[in-house]
Amino acid sequence: MDDAERIAREREYHNVRFADDSERETRVGRFYSAIRYGFDLYRRRVREEARGRRVLEYGCGTGSLAFDLSSEAGQVIGIDISDVAIKHARRAAVLRGFKNVEFAVDNAEAMHLPDKHVDVVVGSGIVHHLDIPKSMSEVRRVLSGGGIAIFAEPLAHNPVLNWYRSRTPELRSVDEHPLAVADLRRMALGFSSMRVTYFGLVAPILGLLSADAKSESWLTRSTWWLDQMLCRVPGLNRYAWYCLIELQNG
């Protein structure tokens, strides 16, 4: 596969998506809401690590997480392959008066940032769009010694999810690839440590039931508790929808 062609396809896909993502949100939004507790954990870990430090949001989209971090981090840099997303993010930053947030169009597999430039790299739903060895090499390069990378990424092993994916190709780019256990191992290469927290094994059922996960009803709380328990079982946890990945730089 030619990298330039793949990157061009990803840029075009995300430009279209960020221009109008309403249809995708209508179709899958309730399922992401059903596993919100996992994304809440991701955001909490990011906030904990970001305090007073220089943060890179890797695949920032329109920049919402970068904006959330602006009051805690020393500086936030957001990059994305989509010039449409960066245009929106820059406009929002100006309108909201953020002084320590900046955005740039960049290739996550060959960034323009200097070596050891940031203390924290964060990203949600980005690594599975990338060449893993190239992207992780770049993450290690731009991270300072002792820095940390935190990602929330979809997994590849659940047959029900894969059945749905095969029938809804319009919801994803042709080159993306949910992560297998072997991909997690490849991500860990070169880092001093890796911690993986799985989520979304039974919780997506809430989306099928149209349960209002935003209300955190007894059903939602009970399902999230069960989900967390099952996602701690070795071998079973690989069938979760998502995982939180924390990589420590040496």
Side-chain angles (χ1 to χ4, degrees):
M1 182 189 302
D2 183 85
D3 282 346
E5 292 180 359
R6 173 174 57 85
I7 291 167
R9 284 193 298 270
E10 285 289 323
R11 179 182 293 109
E12 176 61 23
Y13 169 81
H14 284 94
N15 276 344
V16 171
R17 175 184 168 187
F18 286 120
D20 182 6
D21 201 27
S22 56
E23 181 181 354
R24 187 176 187 276
E25 175 60 26
T26 298
R27 295 176 64 179
V28 301
R30 69 183 188 275
F31 293 102
Y32 283 100
S33 180
I35 62 170
R36 193 182 78 245
Y37 85 87
F39 293 111
D40 287 345
L41 173 61
Y42 163 71
R43 286 187 288 271
R44 184 165 65 251
R45 286 292 298 122
V46 168
R47 287 196 302 270
E48 289 170 353
E49 295 293 341
R51 292 184 184 122
R53 305 171 83 184
R54 181 177 288 176
V55 181
L56 168 65
E57 186 175 11
Y58 194 63
C60 63
T62 54
S64 60
L65 181 58
F67 297 144
D68 292 344
L69 294 174
S70 64
S71 62
E72 301 178 48
Q75 182 184 13
V76 186
I77 304 164
I79 66 160
D80 202 282
I81 196 68
S82 168
D83 48 288
V84 171
I86 294 300
K87 181 179 178 180
H88 287 310
R90 285 173 171 168
R91 182 186 300 122
V94 171
L95 290 174
R96 298 169 69 176
F98 290 115
K99 303 299 184 183
N100 64 336
V101 179
E102 60 183 89
F103 297 99
V105 178
D106 208 350
N107 177 2
E109 297 173 11
M111 291 182 283
H112 290 90
L113 293 173
D115 294 356
K116 303 184 185 302
H117 190 63
V118 298
D119 307 302
V120 185
V121 176
V122 302
S124 178
I126 172 65
V127 176
H128 75 286
H129 287 275
L130 304 173
D131 178 293
I132 290 175
K134 289 181 180 178
S135 61
M136 291 301 101
S137 176
E138 278 293 273
V139 168
R140 291 193 303 274
R141 181 184 67 80
V142 302
L143 268 177
S144 60
I148 188 171
I150 306 174
F151 300 106
E153 293 290 331
L155 293 164
H157 295 288
N158 190 306
V160 176
L161 290 172
N162 290 337
W163 174 87
Y164 179 77
R165 287 167 177 149
S166 70
R167 282 156 179 77
T168 54
E170 69 280 4
L171 295 179
R172 53 198 58 85
S173 70
V174 297
D175 298 299
E176 65 180 88
H177 49 99
L179 304 183
V181 169
D183 294 315
L184 298 180
R185 295 193 188 104
R186 279 191 283 271
M187 288 182 68
L189 293 175
F191 288 95
S192 60
S193 68
M194 179 184 198
R195 179 169 67 178
V196 181
T197 305
Y198 298 86
F199 62 98
L201 184 57
V202 296
I205 294 172
L206 292 169
L208 288 174
L209 297 175
S210 296
D212 184 7
K214 292 180 180 179
S215 69
E216 295 196 23
S217 65
W218 69 267
L219 175 60
T220 299
R221 291 193 299 271
S222 299
T223 304
W224 285 351
W225 177 86
L226 177 62
D227 199 77
Q228 291 176 75
M229 295 302 103
L230 293 176
C231 283
R232 293 173 183 169
V233 179
L236 182 63
N237 50 21
R238 70 171 60 190
Y239 296 102
W241 181 7
Y242 259 80
C243 67
L244 172 68
I245 303 160
E246 301 180 57
L247 299 160
Q248 193 75 44
N249 205 28

